[in-house]
């Protein structure tokens, strides 16, 4: 075939070989072909890449077919011509060639087949086009990122599997050519597969790979064996692609059939979350959503990374509590830390999040979903359930594998730690936040042959707001990068946090998908509580009481957490009443000492007595949750003298306590230092400004204005007041000097003073939940 080198490229900016090598270092991750001669075949000379076209052939054919029209046709063909190869100096590669591409690890190269040549916009230089090739990848057995233990145990020396994964890479990443052969051909050339002696022979051996199967590495599925020389034709690469795709499809069907056979016709179970019939709006409901075995999938899960800590709803097994007293069961089920069996009233939100996530994972694209809603509207619960269901679909091999990373703004002391956490999940390495940021930048801005999607849940996003918003910006920006496969689920209380903190211009460019969780209506809350209590025996909660609590909460906030708390407290009150009633019933007169039933009753645990006594028909309502029990619970929750006095604190006192609560929540330790609380207070005030805009700025000026010494003094005074009134215990650090009214104020250099609460953290939280000012200080008080 006659060929024609394109020369249009000469004018275009081309990366130099040296620069190309440096840039290639950034790209890819691990694995590949180990080559002791890491030098590439292209030499050190800087030559531009030129396209090779098959124009002469076309010309000849056209002339033969219709000589008179050939000139006009040629013009239009030339305009649309597609390169069939590329040349750099004396090195040439064509469509169908098997090439090596540089990986960051010295001496290791990736192997792929050139499928097409294209020009793509340069990631490193906006607006510039760069000559690139679409590559169909081979995968070596040690590269199976998230399905490592699905890899075959029968791998041969130099064996790689052909994937049906493609992506586009700049030509300057190409470093040479490889040879692929069948098992027999390889062993005929290299007896026993052993490396030969002699440098040149060894270099050739290192560039020779055995390929006898295709693989879908994220699902750990393989095609049947094939003979490379029979299936590979460089001039018909599409046949090979079809063969691999069909082979993988057949493997999938085979696995599904095997699974159905071994499942011994387990009963199919309706989807459990949200409990109602159909979970996904589309007709193509994933199989795992239609049919689910009654086991937690975690025992089957094959994970290299940390296993997910939650199990899909409805697959959880009954705990010990199932056999406890009805009160204890009710208390446990109503506790906010209990993962409910289903999430009523969140069907639409569940579907929306599920569909976005599953589409992004299956298409290998990035996505950024911004989920907002006031506290207690089920945002976190819904997202976790979606991830658990997706995980179940991965188990059932209906979904490509993905990595999951949860970052909670409340649980990290410095927002920049988010970078280290993400890198740790992606690669398993612990690195400093600044190093992690560099690595993530490189990772997401360059193609990697076999990147697995990563879903990041950024909960309590408000807490990650930093001064220059860089953390939030980066996490919102990376999903938009072509190669990132990063799916960010950002969860926050306010709808417009991105606009407020990143400016309208940037946030609209980011193209977030927004999902808003509305507050629950009273009927929703009734359903949520009713569903949780559905299996509790003894009918201990009046439906009227549930309705009353639901109405009360819906009127103020629509917060399921609050409704659950109130009902749980009401159950506690009813339980005390039941115990008192049981004790009264069990006062056994002296003369009846010998009554065997009464003797037995005296030795029974109170819980069993409650069980026996509760459903007594016609008995007074002692021990049942009624409207008046709910009223009592609400009253108690909000109006103890302590809570009333906490609500009367000056703003600086409330900020100080909110900061201390946030520290306690974050660290899990009840004690903190003055310095840490101070830093937390500053962050809370910054976040309040971001969230509340101008109104928040007033708060900030009032509290934190006047320089850092004034700030320390204002919060120092607040701490002292709290200590005097018995709310705080403050243990002076070494550097303190100032004394005022007998109490010590932590001085500027005295950040080490230890501080702890002398009242229950829950009391402070409850008091502040009802307080408009303190509510603005964020999520620490909502937990
Ligand atoms: N639809 C629901 N069904 C059952 N329980 C629910 C539902 N919605 C919320 N809950 C429960 O309410 C509590 C709060 O829910 P969740 O933490 O998901 O709210 P959130 O919107 O993330 O709140 P925050 O913004 O404060 O983090 C949890 O205990 C959760 O299990």
């Amino acid at each position: 075939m006659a060929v024609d080198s394109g020369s249009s490229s000469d004018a275009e900016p081309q990366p130099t070989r040296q620069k190309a090598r440096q840039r290639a270092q950034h790209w890819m991750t691990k694995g590949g072909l180990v080559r002791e001669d890491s030098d590439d075949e292209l030499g050190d000379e800087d030559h531009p890449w030129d396209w090779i076209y098959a124009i002469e052939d076309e010309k000849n054919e056209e002339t033969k077919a219709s000589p008179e029209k050939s000139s006009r046709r040629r013009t239009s063909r030339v305009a649309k011509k597609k390169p069939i190869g590329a040349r750099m100096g004396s090195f040439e590669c064509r469509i169908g060639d098997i090439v090596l591409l540089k990986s960051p690890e010295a001496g290791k190269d990736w192997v792929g087949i050139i499928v097409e040549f294209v020009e793509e916009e340069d990631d490193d230089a906006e607006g510039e086009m760069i000559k690139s090739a679409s590559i169909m990848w081979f995968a070596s057995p040690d590269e199976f990122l998230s399905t490592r233990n699905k890899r075959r145990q029968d791998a041969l020396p130099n064996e790689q599997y052909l994937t049906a994964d493609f992506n586009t890479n700049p030509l300057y990443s190409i470093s040479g050519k490889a040879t692929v052969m069948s098992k027999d051909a390889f062993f005929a050339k290299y007896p026993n597969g052993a490396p030969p002696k002699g440098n040149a022979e060894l270099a050739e051996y290192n560039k020779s790979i055995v390929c006898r199967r295709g693989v879908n590495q994220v699902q750990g599925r393989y095609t049947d064996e094939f003979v490379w020389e029979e299936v590979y034709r460089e001039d018909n690469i599409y046949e090979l692609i079809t063969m691999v795709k069909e082979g993988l499809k057949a493997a999938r069907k085979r696995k599904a059939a095997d699974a159905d056979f071994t499942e011994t016709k387990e009963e199919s179970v309706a989807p459990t979350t949200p409990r109602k019939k159909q979970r996904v709006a589309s007709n193509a409901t994933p199989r795992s959503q239609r049919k689910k075995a009654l086991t937690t999938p975690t025992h089957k899960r094959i994970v290299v990374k940390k296993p997910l800590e939650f199990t899909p709803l409805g697959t959880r097994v009954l705990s010990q509590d199932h056999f406890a007293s009805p009160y204890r069961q009710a208390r446990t089920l109503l506790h906010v830390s209990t993962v409910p069996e289903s999430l009523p009233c969140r069907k639409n939100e569940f579907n929306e999040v599920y569909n976005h996530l599953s589409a992004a994972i299956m298409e290998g694209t990035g996505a950024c979903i911004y989920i907002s809603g006031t506290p207690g509207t089920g945002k976190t619960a819904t997202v976790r359930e979606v991830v658990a269901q997706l995980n179940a679909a991965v188990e059932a091999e209906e979904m490509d594998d993905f990595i999951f990373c949860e970052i909670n703004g409340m649980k990290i002391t410095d927002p920049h730690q988010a970078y280290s956490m993400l890198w740790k999940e992606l690669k398993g390495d612990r690195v400093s936040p600044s190093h992690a940021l560099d690595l993530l930048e490189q990772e997401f801005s360059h193609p990697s042959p076999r990147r697995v999607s990563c879903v990041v849940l950024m909960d309590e996003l408000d807490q990650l707001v930093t001064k220059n918003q860089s953390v939030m910006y980066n996490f919102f920006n990376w999903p938009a990068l072509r190669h990132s496969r990063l799916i960010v689920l950002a969860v926050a209380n306010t709808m417009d946090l991105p606009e407020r903190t990143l400016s309208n211009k940037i946030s609209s460019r980011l193209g977030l998908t927004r999902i808003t969780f509305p507050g629950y209506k009273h009927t929703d809350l009734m359903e949520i509580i009713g569903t949780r209590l559905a299996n509790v025996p003894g009918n201990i909660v009046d439906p009227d009481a549930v309705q009353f609590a639901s109405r009360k909460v819906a009127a103020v906030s629509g917060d399921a957490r609050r409704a659950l708390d109130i009902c749980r407290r009401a159950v506690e009150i009813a339980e005390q009443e039941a115990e008192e009633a049981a004790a009264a019933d069990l006062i056994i007169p002296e003369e009846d000492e010998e009554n065997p039933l009464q003797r037995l009753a005296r030795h029974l645990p109170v819980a069993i007595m409650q069980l026996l006594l509760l459903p007594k028909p016609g008995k007074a309502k002692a021990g049942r949750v009624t409207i008046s029990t709910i009223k009592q619970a609400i009253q108690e929750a909000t109006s103890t003298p302590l809570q009333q006095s906490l609500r009367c604190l000056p703003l600086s006192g409330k900020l100080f306590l909110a900061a201390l609560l946030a520290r306690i929540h974050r660290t899990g330790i009840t004690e903190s230092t003055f310095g840490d609380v101070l830093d937390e207070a500053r962050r809370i005030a910054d976040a309040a400004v971001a969230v509340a805009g101008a109104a928040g700025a007033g708060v900030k000026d009032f509290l934190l204005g006047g320089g850092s010494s004034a700030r320390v003094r204002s919060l120092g005074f607040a701490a002292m007041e709290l200590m005097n009134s018995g709310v705080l215990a403050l243990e002076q650090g070494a550097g303190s000097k100032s004394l005022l009214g007998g109490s010590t104020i932590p001085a500027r250099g005295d950040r080490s003073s230890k501080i702890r609460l002398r009242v229950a953290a829950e009391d402070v939280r409850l008091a502040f939940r009802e307080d408009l000012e303190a509510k603005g200080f964020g999520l620490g008080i909502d937990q």
Side-chain angles (χ1 to χ4, degrees):
M1 185 197 302
V3 292
D4 170 31
S5 290
S7 57
S8 61
S9 59
D10 294 7
E12 290 170 19
Q14 288 286 321
T16 63
R17 294 288 297 145
Q18 198 185 1
K19 189 177 161 208
R21 248 178 236 114
Q22 282 165 3
R23 286 161 67 171
Q25 296 301 313
H26 294 310
W27 293 349
M28 300 160 187
T29 49
K30 293 177 189 153
L33 188 70
V34 181
R35 292 177 53 214
E36 277 163 26
D37 63 325
S38 61
D39 284 344
D40 61 45
E41 294 168 24
L42 285 74
D44 287 331
E45 287 292 303
D46 262 331
H47 295 291
W49 278 95
D50 288 329
W51 289 136
I52 301 173
Y53 299 105
I55 286 179
E56 295 303 325
D57 283 354
E58 286 180 4
K59 261 194 230 169
N60 293 342
E61 275 167 29
E62 280 163 8
T63 320
K64 263 187 255 155
S66 172
E68 68 282 5
K69 289 183 191 161
S70 68
S71 145
R72 186 164 44 85
R73 279 207 199 144
R74 193 180 314 144
T75 325
S76 64
R77 290 267 177 110
V78 168
K80 278 194 255 157
K81 66 189 176 182
K82 280 203 148 226
I84 55 149
R87 177 183 298 131
M88 202 217 74
S90 58
F91 179 87
E92 270 188 27
C93 51
R94 309 278 179 122
I95 289 175
D97 279 358
I98 294 150
V99 284
L100 297 165
L101 290 102
K102 276 203 171 299
S103 92
E105 280 177 69
K108 277 192 174 184
D109 283 339
W110 302 102
V111 188
I113 305 178
I114 299 176
V115 176
E116 194 183 7
F117 288 102
V118 287
E119 301 230 354
E120 282 223 329
E121 197 169 313
D122 189 354
D123 280 329
D124 290 349
E126 214 172 303
E128 277 182 26
M129 300 306 278
I130 191 149
K131 291 191 170 66
S132 308
S134 170
I135 303 287
M136 179 186 197
W137 293 104
F138 287 88
S140 67
D142 61 334
E143 290 168 66
F144 289 23
L145 275 176
S146 55
T147 48
R148 205 163 287 169
N149 43 3
K150 283 183 185 168
R151 78 176 182 217
R152 304 192 70 92
Q153 299 303 314
D154 60 357
L156 300 167
N158 285 17
E159 177 158 8
Q160 299 221 11
Y161 308 96
L162 186 55
T163 73
D165 294 336
F166 305 82
N167 63 15
T168 307
N169 291 263
L171 293 185
Y172 61 69
S173 61
I174 294 175
S175 64
K177 287 193 188 168
T179 313
V180 179
M181 55 190 90
S182 64
K183 178 180 157 189
D184 289 347
F186 184 80
F187 279 93
K189 193 163 180 191
Y190 302 106
N192 298 324
K197 297 213 171 62
N199 285 347
E201 290 80 5
L202 187 62
E204 198 188 331
Y205 172 87
N206 285 334
K207 288 193 246 172
S208 303
I209 63 171
V210 178
C211 180
R212 52 179 171 151
R213 287 192 181 95
V215 69
N216 176 329
Q217 62 160 10
V218 287
Q219 294 172 350
R221 203 175 294 139
Y222 299 83
T223 63
D224 285 338
E225 276 196 41
F226 47 71
V227 177
W228 182 257
E229 290 76 18
E230 287 172 10
V231 296
Y232 170 70
R233 274 185 51 208
E234 56 202 14
D235 59 347
N236 195 349
I237 226 58
Y238 291 97
E239 209 166 88
L240 183 68
I241 296 172
T242 313
M243 193 263 310
V244 172
K245 285 190 172 167
E246 292 297 322
L248 291 173
K249 230 189 260 171
R252 179 185 171 147
K253 280 192 194 137
R254 217 170 30 236
K255 276 214 171 177
D258 290 350
D260 281 350
F261 182 71
T262 47
E263 262 178 20
T264 55
K265 299 191 186 85
E266 269 182 88
E267 190 189 344
S268 76
V269 179
T272 49
T273 298
R275 260 279 151 95
K276 306 273 174 59
K277 293 287 145 17
Q278 205 201 343
R279 188 175 307 118
V280 179
S282 81
N283 296 334
T285 312
R287 186 169 162 264
S288 66
Q289 291 197 329
R290 284 182 266 122
K291 183 178 177 216
K292 202 168 11 161
L294 267 174
T295 51
T296 62
T298 40
H299 71 282
K300 282 196 279 172
R301 175 105 171 96
I302 296 167
V303 204
V304 176
K305 312 288 171 198
K306 193 176 61 175
L308 290 177
E309 278 156 9
F310 33 89
T311 309
L313 305 180
T315 62
R316 297 181 173 95
V317 289
L318 293 175
S319 71
Q320 284 280 41
D321 288 334
H322 188 71
F323 305 103
S325 81
Y327 294 108
R328 174 140 173 231
Q329 285 183 47
R331 273 194 283 116
T332 309
L333 289 167
L334 292 170
H335 200 285
V336 288
S337 66
T338 300
V339 182
E341 286 214 8
S342 63
L343 290 174
C345 315
R346 280 296 172 245
K347 186 180 157 200
N348 293 339
E349 291 78 6
F350 176 93
N351 285 342
E352 212 175 331
V353 179
Y354 188 99
N355 291 340
H356 278 299
L357 245 63
S358 57
I361 292 172
M362 291 309 275
E363 285 158 23
T365 53
C368 188
I369 301 167
Y370 182 77
I371 297 175
S372 62
T374 51
T377 46
K379 302 181 293 295
T380 309
T382 303
V383 168
R384 285 175 155 237
E385 177 56 10
V386 166
V387 173
Q389 292 285 354
L390 288 172
N391 199 35
V394 174
E395 292 299 314
E397 311 212 338
E398 292 159 355
M399 171 81 55
D400 286 349
D401 207 348
F402 63 94
I403 295 167
F404 178 66
C405 173
E406 182 167 350
I407 299 168
N408 187 314
M410 279 306 294
K411 292 188 183 157
I412 51 177
T413 41
D414 168 14
H416 297 93
Q417 284 169 1
Y419 300 137
S420 305
M421 290 174 75
L422 178 56
W423 187 254
K424 168 94 185 10
E425 287 303 331
L426 288 178
K427 307 286 169 185
D429 302 331
R430 279 177 203 281
V431 293
S432 71
S434 59
H435 188 199
L437 175 59
D438 287 347
L439 293 168
L440 288 166
E441 289 279 359
Q442 286 173 14
E443 174 77 5
F444 294 140
S445 51
H446 292 93
S448 167
R450 295 172 272 284
R451 184 169 292 143
V452 173
S453 298
C454 177
V455 176
V456 184
L457 165 58
M458 302 190 77
D459 211 349
E460 321 272 16
L461 185 73
D462 320 52
Q463 297 296 312
L464 290 170
V465 171
T466 51
K467 263 198 179 138
N468 61 8
Q469 322 308 352
S470 61
V471 174
M472 193 161 87
Y473 174 78
N474 283 328
F475 274 87
F476 283 9
N477 191 39
W478 286 329
L481 301 180
R482 202 158 13 123
H483 308 290
S484 73
R485 289 197 172 193
L486 185 70
I487 304 161
V488 170
L489 291 162
V491 176
N493 285 341
T494 36
M495 230 185 199
D496 54 355
L497 190 67
E499 284 73 19
R500 284 190 190 284
T501 51
L502 295 178
S503 89
N504 281 330
K505 199 169 149 219
I506 295 182
S507 55
S508 58
R509 179 178 67 74
L510 292 172
L512 309 174
T513 300
R514 286 166 195 273
I515 302 176
T516 308
F517 281 51
Y520 289 116
K521 298 194 289 288
H522 84 270
T523 44
D524 297 338
L525 293 172
M526 283 167 65
E527 193 175 339
I528 290 169
I529 298 164
T531 312
R532 287 204 180 206
L533 293 177
N535 295 323
V536 177
N539 195 20
I540 55 172
V541 182
D542 267 359
D544 280 358
V546 175
Q547 183 178 142
F548 183 76
S550 304
R551 282 186 186 278
K552 279 279 171 197
V553 174
V556 181
S557 61
D559 175 349
R561 191 182 283 117
R562 179 136 176 73
L564 290 168
D565 279 346
I566 288 173
C567 291
R568 185 168 52 92
R569 177 64 195 132
V571 170
E572 276 172 8
I573 296 171
E575 185 176 21
Q576 273 166 5
E577 286 174 4
E579 276 177 17
E580 283 162 17
D585 269 10
L586 288 177
I587 296 171
I588 300 166
E590 284 295 316
E591 57 271 24
D592 281 354
E593 262 301 283
E594 293 312 306
N595 179 332
L597 271 178
Q598 288 183 340
R599 276 219 316 276
L600 174 67
R602 231 179 300 162
H603 296 288
L604 286 176
V606 172
I608 301 214
M609 285 311 300
Q610 287 164 356
L611 261 176
L612 297 174
L613 291 168
L614 267 176
K616 259 189 199 168
K619 227 178 140 47
K621 282 200 166 180
R624 274 175 73 83
V625 174
T626 61
I627 291 180
S628 85
T629 333
I630 297 284
K631 278 186 183 161
Q632 199 180 329
I634 295 175
Q635 171 79 5
E636 256 183 37
T638 54
S639 55
T640 61
L642 169 65
Q643 287 171 357
Q644 278 166 355
S645 65
L646 287 172
R647 283 197 287 268
C648 294
L649 283 173
L651 200 57
S652 54
K654 288 176 186 169
L655 175 64
F656 193 89
L657 282 180
L660 179 56
L661 282 182
R663 290 285 316 161
I664 294 171
H665 184 67
R666 198 195 286 285
T667 59
I669 303 168
T670 51
E671 199 173 76
S672 203
T673 65
F674 181 70
D676 286 342
V677 178
L678 211 60
D679 293 344
E680 191 72 50
R682 190 182 308 132
R683 280 187 353 87
I684 290 176
D686 283 345
V689 174
V691 170
V699 174
K700 188 180 182 188
D701 291 347
F702 171 68
L703 283 173
L704 303 180
S708 76
S709 65
R711 175 192 314 144
V712 175
R713 280 182 70 76
S714 132
L715 288 170
F717 272 112
M720 187 192 71
E721 285 296 325
L722 290 166
M723 190 182 73
N724 286 343
S725 57
V727 176
L728 282 186
L730 197 143
E731 186 192 297
Q732 199 62 22
S736 61
K737 289 188 206 79
S738 45
L739 285 165
L740 190 88
S743 304
T744 324
I745 309 171
R748 185 176 162 75
D750 194 15
R751 293 172 55 92
S752 59
S753 297
K754 297 234 167 70
I755 287 174
R756 85 188 137 73
L757 274 179
R758 292 182 65 190
V759 298
E762 185 65 17
D763 276 335
V764 186
R765 286 192 186 108
L766 283 173
F768 282 4
R769 262 191 213 167
E770 299 297 311
D771 187 86
L772 275 182
E773 267 178 356
K775 255 186 175 173
F777 293 146
L779 302 152
I781 57 169
D782 281 318
Q783 299 305 303

